[in-house]
Amino acid sequence: MYKLAKLTILGGILCPLVVASAIASTAQAQPSQSPLAEPNVQLKVQRTSGSCPQTVGLWWLTLPYEGGAEHTVIADTRAFADTTKLVPSKNQHFVEFVSPLRNNYATCVGQTQGQEYPFYSVQFKNKQAYFRVDLQKIPVPDTLISYKTVTTSRPYVRWAIAD
């Protein structure tokens, strides 16, 4: 009986330690990633000539609400350009950004085309990339670009849609 009591106490001490170490090693084996470390949408580039990136990544987030949704999109132009400028416009349904291409893509002529998301497009020509959000291509009358800027040298657009 005395030996059984010692084994029970020893098991009560060792068992939680073994379980804790197994959980810790499992947690360390899984890489930690932030939810949107990489763009969640890829637009394929159809090259006409020159050296072009194969895709353009977008971070696209949607916040639905009753009767519509607010969308935020950030284009990953840093993959092929170092700077981006907003083309000034008062149009609330269309926005354009221009990014001078890096030397390795300066010869690129092409565009994203025939995509699942025709209201987002990138055109490569004249040593520049033109990222556009064109809400006129959405067959819903109530769309509006509510915010547009350049953040961390990337185009940033917030727009809304209502039923």
Side-chain angles (χ1 to χ4, degrees):
M1 187 69 153
Y2 178 71
K3 288 184 181 181
L4 181 60
K6 278 187 167 182
L7 286 175
T8 304
I9 292 171
L10 184 62
I13 293 170
L14 291 179
C15 185
L17 292 174
V18 170
V19 170
S21 68
I23 290 171
S25 67
T26 302
Q28 290 175 352
Q30 298 174 359
S32 63
Q33 295 179 349
S34 60
L36 289 174
E38 298 293 323
N40 57 334
V41 173
Q42 295 291 328
L43 303 177
K44 292 182 183 176
V45 175
Q46 295 193 351
R47 182 183 71 84
T48 303
S49 66
S51 175
C52 299
Q54 292 190 7
T55 61
V56 176
L58 303 178
W59 285 276
W60 185 14
L61 309 167
T62 303
L63 178 61
Y65 52 80
E66 187 174 340
E70 182 177 78
H71 299 261
T72 301
V73 63
I74 303 168
D76 189 18
T77 55
R78 296 285 307 266
F80 47 82
D82 294 320
T83 61
T84 296
K85 291 183 182 178
L86 172 65
V87 176
S89 170
K90 294 191 188 273
N91 189 333
Q92 295 182 327
H93 302 285
F94 177 84
V95 64
E96 181 177 58
F97 297 86
V98 179
S99 304
L101 294 171
R102 289 192 194 121
N103 288 339
N104 55 329
Y105 292 121
T107 60
C108 179
V109 176
Q111 62 187 351
T112 59
Q113 183 178 339
Q115 301 294 321
E116 186 176 349
Y117 315 108
F119 40 91
Y120 297 136
S121 66
V122 182
Q123 185 175 22
F124 296 90
K125 65 179 183 180
N126 302 325
K127 299 182 181 184
Q128 300 194 68
Y130 300 86
F131 172 67
R132 298 179 180 112
V133 178
D134 188 355
L135 301 182
Q136 299 164 49
K137 293 185 177 184
I138 299 175
V140 175
D142 294 329
T143 59
L144 176 71
I145 293 173
S146 57
Y147 189 73
K148 52 190 174 185
T149 191
V150 175
T151 184
T152 62
S153 299
R154 294 182 179 102
Y156 177 102
V157 179
R158 190 176 317 132
W159 60 276
I161 188 169
D163 293 341

